[in-house]
Structures are given as structure tokens and as C-alpha cells.
Amino acid sequence: MIYKLILNKHLQVALLFLLIQQIIVASSTYFIARLAQSLTEESISILYMVLFAVSLVAVYVPAYFCVTNTERAKYDAHKLYNDNFHTVFLGKTYLLSNDELQSTATTTLAQESNYTLETVIDSIFDISALVLNVLFNVLVIAWFLDGTLLLGYAVGIVFASMFVHFRRHALKTAAKTDQQSRLNLTAKLFDSWDNVVIFNKHNYTLYNNIVQKSFATAKNNSVKSTSIQHINSSLGIIILMLPVFVVTAFIFNKNWQDAATMAVLIATLPRQIQLLQMCYALIGYHTSIGVIKTMLDGILEVLQPTAVNLDNYIQADQIRVKQTGDIFDSTQLPKQGRVTLVGNNGVGKSCMLLKLKEDYQEQAYYLPAKHNLYFNYKSDKAHKGSTGQQLIKQIQEIREDDQSRIVMLDEWDAHLDKENTQIIDQYLDELAQTRLVIEVRH
């Protein structure tokens, strides 16, 4: 699933243009080396000078396609994650009462998944660019100077990679803590509207204290994670540079009287310094691989919810039908009419509605007391109204536009005045003439 999520067609196209771009970059190193050699022959090669200049400009053409396709890849990845979210949670009504899962899942879908997928795609692109740049340019420089240079880079990369691998556990732990504290902070911020706008001093003080602590925790964990990554990257690049410097000194000492070789060495020296900087960035990304994997595991973990058996929360023999006084039998539902479920608090009346929705899926319509369900009337800027007025519009829309044969309402009369309660009560009586209306009253 990870590969399908990230390696979409647009990222593959971006990587193809990246390969072309890095070949052009390596060719510029080749041309400048040839130009340096020509200086020792008491003649300047105009051809290589022109080719070098052209290569500096041509590199921006594939770069354009890299940028645009990478941006497309990010949106496609987020959309695919959203589609998978729908596939996993669609119709899983038994999860509706899990407030913790709802908070984590919605925060991950709306924010963390996008941040993670953008980070992963950018990292894949940047790592690929660094690897290709270092590989192609080292091959070109080693071909002109000495093949021993390849050995220096190879030894340095191996030892640096071993060091990073040894430190991977500390990086993974810090990254996991950082991501969790970031999710916790985001979840708290989602509660800001009521606490800030209403401004009950007691509630606001509690909320603000918790948010400030969450900010402090998230900041400390983020700094700690970044600090560990930076320290590991710095030590890794020092380990990598040592064998490269030793080999470069060896080549210099061996060829200091060879004018052509020394010209190439001096001409490509800025590129070699740039390569070491890229190796530093590559080591930095190497230290981030564990961090990135942890972030990916975090957003994929949300798509693996634990199933809940609603029967464990329902005392079926304690739920009765108000109209008849009989125990409610969920296996023998009438085709139409109105059924009001009654029973003591905690016997599972709301869970019974969730179970029926889970069993009947599209054949049943479930309207909870508090929700963010989309309705057509909300697209009208003048849709504002009281809770009762909006509920009337919702029931009208359900009656006119939804074809479910079962309509279920959970505590629909909570917070309604007498007038609106009577109006909606009449609407439900009319609806019950053609459909089955099952309700839990407040």
C-alpha cells in the first residue's frame, strides 16, 4: 500500500526528468574538465566552453517538469490516502462512539497525512537527486583523475552508513514522540472555537493551560528530534570526509608535476566540495529514513482500526418500544411506521441505532444529535437558523432526496423548544406513513 500511495505516475515522471537533469549536470563537470585539460595544451577548446555554458542553462528545462510533476504527485498521494480512508471507515458505524479514534483519525486525514506524504515525496525526490548527482559526478571526476577516488567515497559512505544504522533506534524513538505530541496539539487546537469564542472563564482557563502545555511539549519534542538528527548527520559527514580527503591528498601528491591532472583537479575542486556538501545532505536524509518511516507508519496505523462489537454495549432485553411496550426486536422490523425506543440510561439505545445502521447500510439513514453531515441546504448562504429550523430542513431533505427505507434519529428533540418539537414530530408522523422511523428521544 505504501508504494501505491507514494510512487504514483507523476512521481515516476518527475524521477525520469530528474535522471535527465542529473546527466546534464554531470556533463557540465565533464566539459569543464575537458576545458581545463585544453589549457595545458596551450589552446582553449571553444567547443567545450560552449557545451559547458549550454549545460548550465539546459538543466532548467527538466527541472521545470520535475517541480510540476512532484507537486501533482503530492496531491495524488493525499487524494489516494483520502480514498483509502473512505474504504476503511465507510459504514463502520460502530466506530462512531469512539471519540479518541475520531479525533486522531480526522486530525490525521486533514493535516498529518498531507504533511507526512509531502515530506516523504520531497525526501524521495531529494535523496534521488543527491544520489544521482554524487554518483555521476564522482564517476566523471574519478575518470579524469584517479579511480582511487571512487574507493575514498565508497569507504566513507559505508562507514557513515554504519554509524547512522547504529543510531537508528534513538532517531526512531524521538520521531515517534515528536509525531504523537504534534497530533495531540492539533487535536487540542480543534477545540479552540467554543472555548475561545464563548469565553467561560473556567472552561477557557482549563483549555488554555492544556494548550500551552501541549505547545511546550510539542516544541521540546520537535527540537529534541531535530537535534538528534543534526548531531548524527554532522558526525556522519565527518566520518565520510576523512577517507575522501586522504585519497584526494594522495592524488595531489602523486600527480603534482602533471600539469593536465592538476588543472583538472583544480577546475573540479569546487564541484568536489559541492559533492561533499551533498554527501552531508545525503547522510542527513539517511538519518531521516527512520523518522520518515515512523511518520508513514503513524498515518497508516489510523487505517487499521480495531473492530468493536456493539452487542457488548447493548442490553437488548432492557430496550422497549414506547408505542407497544414490547421488547424491541431488531430482527423483526416493520416495513413502515414509527418506533420510539425507551429504556434506562446506559442500556444501549443509541448503540442499537448504530448497530441497525451497520446492518442495513445504505437502506438505513442515521441522523445523530450532533454531526457535520453535508446537506444541500447548507450551500445556501442564507441557511442559518436555530437548531430546530435546521433540523426541519434536514428532515425535509431526507424525505425528498434520500431513498432509505429506514430513518433513524438519535435524541433529535434535545435542545428544541416546544414549537419546533411539535413541527418535527408532525414531519416524522408523515414520514412514517411510507418508511420506518426509529427514534430515541431525549
Side-chain angles (χ1 to χ4, degrees), residues 226-238:
T226 304
S227 175
I228 292 175
Q229 290 184 56
H230 180 74
I231 291 173
N232 280 275
S233 297
S234 299
L235 293 175
I237 193 62
I238 291 173

Side-chain angles (χ1 to χ4, degrees), residues 16-34:
L16 176 61
F17 279 104
L18 175 64
L19 177 63
I20 297 172
Q21 180 194 43
Q22 294 307 317
I23 290 174
I24 296 173
V25 172
S27 70
S28 69
T29 304
Y30 175 84
F31 297 143
I32 194 66
R34 281 295 191 190

Side-chain angles (χ1 to χ4, degrees), residues 152-171:
Y153 275 94
V155 171
I157 290 174
V158 168
F159 279 106
S161 299
M162 289 173 61
F163 169 76
V164 171
H165 182 75
F166 177 74
R167 295 285 299 162
R168 71 189 187 284
H169 180 70
L171 284 164

Side-chain angles (χ1 to χ4, degrees), residues 8-59:
N8 52 58
K9 64 178 182 180
H10 290 300
L11 182 58
Q12 294 176 23
V13 171
L15 293 176
L16 176 61
F17 279 104
L18 175 64
L19 177 63
I20 297 172
Q21 180 194 43
Q22 294 307 317
I23 290 174
I24 296 173
V25 172
S27 70
S28 69
T29 304
Y30 175 84
F31 297 143
I32 194 66
R34 281 295 191 190
L35 187 60
Q37 280 185 333
S38 70
L39 292 174
T40 64
E41 299 168 0
E42 299 182 353
S43 64
I44 299 177
S45 174
I46 302 299
L47 174 63
Y48 288 123
M49 183 179 295
V50 171
L51 289 174
F52 175 69
V54 170
S55 68
L56 295 179
V57 177
V59 72

Side-chain angles (χ1 to χ4, degrees), residues 4 13 27 60 85 89 108 112 133 154 158 179 221 226 233 252 349 398-399 406-407 427 435 439 441:
K4 184 179 179 181
V13 171
S27 70
Y60 292 102
F85 184 93
F89 289 100
T108 301
E112 188 67 21
N133 194 302
V158 168
Q179 184 184 48
N221 289 333
T226 304
S233 297
F252 181 85
K349 299 186 293 296
I398 293 169
R399 183 176 61 182
I406 303 172
V407 177
Y427 274 127
R435 309 192 205 184
E439 61 183 335
R441 302 291 290 267

Side-chain angles (χ1 to χ4, degrees), residues 25 133 269-279:
V25 172
N133 194 302
L269 192 58
R271 179 73 78 186
Q272 292 193 59
I273 294 174
Q274 185 183 46
L275 288 177
L276 286 174
Q277 292 172 339
M278 290 183 175
C279 285

